[in-house]
Amino acid sequence: MTNTSFDQPFSAITVEELAKRLKNHEGTLQLIDVREPQEIAIARLDGFVNLPLSEYEQWNQQVPVRFDAHAETLVLCHHGIRSAQMCQWLVSQGFTNVKNITGGISAYSIVVDPSVPQY
């Protein structure tokens, strides 16, 4: 995945809003975590599909088949940088409702749920 400038629009969602959405959604959200497997082993949130950025070549062809380009798609990483890259890529693939989770799982642990380990 190339490190392109963020010239196509995607929005952001706070970890507080994420917590509300996770509690209340009826399976309509698509949740993607782009962290590495060793990071997932330390701290994870239920419901997220793991697509590590380092394994882009293994999963990039599956994304249009596995995910609905028009469904709301929330993307998570450690602090919000890699997830922003993924959001940019998803938009370039025709996804229309992509949101980066600001602050990533680190902010989620600090602000929402301290039982999620920090690393």
Side-chain angles (χ1 to χ4, degrees):
M1 181 175 300
T2 59
N3 192 0
T4 58
S5 64
F6 300 128
D7 55 0
Q8 290 181 301
F10 60 85
S11 56
I13 183 173
T14 66
V15 291
E16 295 93 335
E17 181 64 21
L18 171 65
K20 287 182 208 159
R21 300 297 304 282
L22 291 176
K23 186 179 177 188
N24 299 324
H25 86 90
E26 291 95 35
T28 56
L29 294 174
Q30 296 181 128
L31 305 169
I32 299 174
D33 188 330
V34 297
R35 295 175 303 134
E36 298 303 306
Q38 63 270 24
E39 292 178 279
I40 301 286
I42 297 167
R44 64 184 300 274
L45 298 179
D46 289 339
F48 281 80
V49 174
N50 184 217
L51 300 176
L53 284 191
S54 66
E55 297 175 15
Y56 172 76
E57 292 300 322
Q58 283 83 36
W59 54 252
N60 69 346
Q61 299 296 321
Q62 301 169 14
V63 168
V65 178
R66 289 180 67 186
F67 299 96
D68 178 346
H70 303 295
E72 186 173 11
T73 306
L74 307 181
V75 186
L76 179 74
C77 73
H78 192 195
H79 291 114
I81 306 301
R82 287 174 287 173
S83 53
Q85 292 175 314
M86 180 65 163
C87 288
Q88 175 68 28
W89 182 79
L90 288 169
V91 169
S92 76
Q93 300 301 302
F95 280 68
T96 58
N97 191 0
V98 179
K99 294 184 177 132
N100 187 27
I101 300 167
T102 305
I105 199 163
S106 178
Y108 190 89
S109 172
I110 293 166
V111 176
V112 176
D113 185 355
S115 73
V116 175
Q118 285 283 326
Y119 64 96

